[in-house]
Amino acid sequence: MAPVILVTNDDGIHAVGLGSLADALSPLGEVYVVAPDREQSAVGHALTLHRPLRVDRVGERRFAVNGTPSDCVNLGVLGLLPEPPVLVVSGINHGSNLGDDVTYSGTVAAAMEGTLLGVSSMAVSQAEGEAGGFEGAGKVAMLVATRVLVEGLPAKTLLNVNVPRGEVRGIRMTRLGHRVYREKVVQEVDPRGRPYYWIGAGPPEWREDEASDIAAVHEGFASVTPLHLDLTHFGALGSMSVWETSLNAILRKRSR
């Protein structure tokens, strides 16, 4: 029996990149699409806990959910599909998810949810995705997914894949870069004289780092970055262990 692959995104069920990804992965198994019924970009790892979720079948092995990308993966892995998937792939996002942007991305969060649920997962994004044409990103996604299906991934680890638009010069294993946003809050005034704000205005800048995902995509390469879900800084944990004695002494003193 063919392995079940769950595909989702944060651009919505009708996004071109989503269809391209499902098509690209179809030779690898039985692809099911479970995606938000509308755009959910930059929602991060939100789960819907305070209202019921509605699921509409919009095609064969294709479902739209009135929730977030993480909701879609949760539903798909825990019971919506006829059997649990062996792989979760999120994308192809219409625009890159490089460097620190992974902390906001609904695309990456969907892969995080799959990883938390014990399923090998990856997120795929394409720079300038709004311009269309996802053939290169689809090919890279298929190649990386094939390797994941054969070798698996380390525990609590997902892959964040970013692909330049157009011809891909190759694939690089990279680390997260650091993006810096300047002048990203714009204040305007509505017709009643009240101020309102736009977050995210202005182009990002990035720190020079030839080993980063940002540098790879800028040079025409697809980047594959392993991300680990254990956010513990073990070096800091070791050096800060000496805090315990003084903090507990102060706590006991103030509790008397």
Side-chain angles (χ1 to χ4, degrees):
M1 185 174 180
V4 171
I5 299 172
L6 172 59
V7 169
T8 190
N9 72 348
D10 73 354
D11 289 310
I13 189 71
H14 301 297
V16 177
L18 179 71
S20 297
L21 179 61
D23 290 342
L25 298 180
S26 60
L28 304 181
E30 195 168 72
V31 175
Y32 282 81
V33 175
V34 184
D37 61 0
R38 67 200 68 190
E39 184 176 348
Q40 295 280 344
S41 298
V43 299
H45 203 163
L47 277 174
T48 302
L49 301 178
H50 303 293
R51 63 172 174 82
L53 292 169
R54 306 289 183 182
V55 179
D56 293 320
R57 185 188 294 269
V58 295
E60 185 180 3
R61 300 198 300 271
R62 192 175 178 89
F63 302 89
V65 180
N66 66 336
T68 68
S70 295
D71 291 333
C72 295
V73 173
N74 204 280
L75 288 172
V77 172
L78 298 181
L80 183 63
L81 306 188
E83 63 180 86
V86 298
L87 178 67
V88 171
V89 187
S90 179
I92 298 168
N93 191 64
H94 294 205
S96 60
N97 279 302
L98 297 164
D100 302 324
D101 287 353
V102 300
T103 60
Y104 309 108
S105 168
T107 303
V108 177
M112 289 181 177
E113 185 68 13
T115 303
L116 288 171
L117 294 173
V119 183
S120 296
S121 302
M122 51 188 278
V124 184
S125 305
Q126 179 178 288
E128 301 179 48
E130 65 280 353
F134 292 92
E135 292 79 11
K139 184 180 296 184
V140 170
M142 190 271 288
L143 291 173
V144 177
T146 301
R147 195 64 180 260
V148 172
L149 287 172
V150 172
E151 298 195 16
L153 291 172
K156 296 185 178 180
T157 302
L158 62 133
L159 299 182
N160 185 41
V161 181
N162 281 274
V163 184
R165 185 170 183 270
E167 184 179 355
V168 180
R169 294 177 60 190
I171 299 173
R172 285 183 183 172
M173 301 302 298
T174 59
R175 61 179 176 229
L176 284 181
H178 179 54
R179 290 175 85 113
V180 181
Y181 288 89
R182 309 283 186 193
E183 301 177 0
K184 64 177 182 178
V185 176
V186 175
Q187 178 180 335
E188 302 287 351
V189 178
D190 69 18
R192 297 189 179 184
R194 295 176 299 186
Y196 64 92
Y197 302 88
W198 283 101
I199 295 177
E205 304 169 8
W206 55 85
R207 183 179 296 165
E208 292 293 334
D209 181 357
E210 288 303 312
S212 72
D213 53 356
I214 296 169
V217 172
H218 183 70
E219 294 171 17
F221 290 85
S223 68
V224 179
T225 307
L227 304 181
H228 198 263
L229 292 184
D230 187 346
L231 301 181
T232 306
H233 191 308
F234 290 98
L237 178 62
S239 64
M240 294 170 69
S241 60
V242 296
W243 290 22
E244 282 189 17
T245 301
S246 59
L247 288 173
N248 282 308
I250 296 170
L251 180 62
R252 285 192 294 268
K253 182 177 181 181
R254 293 186 176 180
S255 298
R256 291 173 184 169

